[in-house]
Amino acid sequence: MKRRDFSLATLSTAAAVGGLTWNPPALAQGPAKFVAGKDYLKLDRVVPTDAEAGKIQLIEFFWYSCPHCNAFEPTFAQWVKNAPKDVVVQRVPVAFRDDFAPQQRLFYALEAMGLLEKLHGKVFQAVHVERLPLNTDASILAWIEKQGVDKTKFADAAKSFGVASKLKRAVQLQNDFKIEGVPSLGVAGKYYVDGTLAGSMERALQVAESLLTQVRQGRA
């Protein structure tokens, strides 16, 4: 979903697609040649990454209420499980408007509490299948409590200095990569690819894999 398409009506649109069934195609195998400026963009300035020596960072930029992010999630989650050992995957929730912030806090609070693996997918389920907007701190807190999470501990985590720092970092990364839509991918602090450039998010993953290989081999 492109940035210009985010409007107050987006939440209802996201809920409306909740009943759709999406079966992602298998990623194509074999070598492929992708072109800078067409299939992906090379950033004007390298973005510092948090990856340790010998590791390559791949970032997924997303928004819980985006229907395209919801559709991409099963494919990306499976890809993450099988990702090369030298690839560090980081998910970054975007904030194109101030009212995106509650879901950013939700993501980072879950991360701080070690609950992302358990509840990340359930947030998409809640928004797109159960049609819960989860776009305010109050609605998120009510949902969290229903998941069996201590709401006081969650609220404390959401208001913590650590989460506030990660929110600032998320905004900085969003700006550094010049994110105009989600879902989208940042590779090694050098490259940006999304479904519009690549033709689909499945092909975007192929592009990202190719870029990872180039970085690994020192050709990028």
Side-chain angles (χ1 to χ4, degrees):
M1 178 175 288
K2 302 306 290 181
R3 184 168 186 165
R4 62 178 176 270
D5 296 329
F6 288 97
S7 66
L8 293 177
T10 304
L11 290 175
S12 60
T13 301
V17 301
L20 296 178
T21 300
W22 185 72
N23 297 307
L27 297 181
Q29 301 298 315
K33 185 173 180 61
F34 302 108
V35 180
K38 178 182 177 183
D39 300 302
Y40 65 93
L41 300 177
K42 185 172 183 177
L43 302 183
D44 296 331
R45 182 177 63 84
V46 174
V47 179
T49 74
D50 300 325
E52 61 187 67
K55 301 288 186 179
I56 310 171
Q57 185 184 66
L58 183 140
I59 299 175
E60 182 213 18
F61 294 94
F62 77 98
W63 178 43
Y64 277 126
S65 290
C66 166
H68 303 296
C69 297
N70 177 57
F72 181 54
E73 175 59 23
T75 294
F76 188 66
Q78 186 60 47
W79 187 90
V80 171
K81 289 181 180 179
N82 299 314
K85 293 182 180 179
D86 64 346
V87 175
V88 178
V89 177
Q90 180 181 358
R91 287 183 166 96
V92 173
V94 301
F96 292 147
R97 300 190 311 258
D98 290 343
D99 59 338
F100 283 36
Q103 289 189 353
Q104 282 186 307
R105 286 191 289 272
L106 166 60
F107 175 84
Y108 286 119
L110 290 178
E111 183 180 66
M113 297 179 74
L115 294 172
L116 264 185
E117 184 174 351
K118 177 182 178 181
L119 295 179
H120 181 68
K122 288 187 177 181
V123 178
F124 281 112
Q125 173 84 7
V127 173
H128 299 279
V129 178
E130 299 170 28
R131 301 188 179 186
L132 302 175
L134 298 188
N135 60 344
T136 65
D137 292 329
S139 63
I140 287 170
L141 199 60
W143 181 80
I144 278 293
E145 188 174 21
K146 291 181 180 179
Q147 308 313 306
V149 178
D150 186 311
K151 67 177 183 179
T152 299
K153 290 182 179 179
F154 175 86
D156 288 343
K159 294 183 292 185
S160 69
F161 175 79
V163 166
S165 297
K166 289 191 174 184
L167 290 176
K168 291 181 180 178
R169 175 62 173 160
V171 172
Q172 185 63 54
L173 286 170
Q174 175 183 317
N175 292 335
D176 287 344
F177 278 90
K178 301 178 181 179
I179 303 302
E180 288 296 327
V182 288
S184 51
L185 304 172
V187 181
K190 299 179 179 180
Y191 307 103
Y192 169 84
V193 59
D194 61 22
T196 299
L197 287 165
S200 70
M201 282 309 299
E202 290 70 45
R203 190 167 182 271
L205 269 180
Q206 296 174 38
V207 175
E209 287 177 331
S210 177
L211 292 170
L212 289 168
T213 297
Q214 290 183 46
V215 172
R216 186 178 296 117
Q217 295 176 351
R219 293 189 287 111

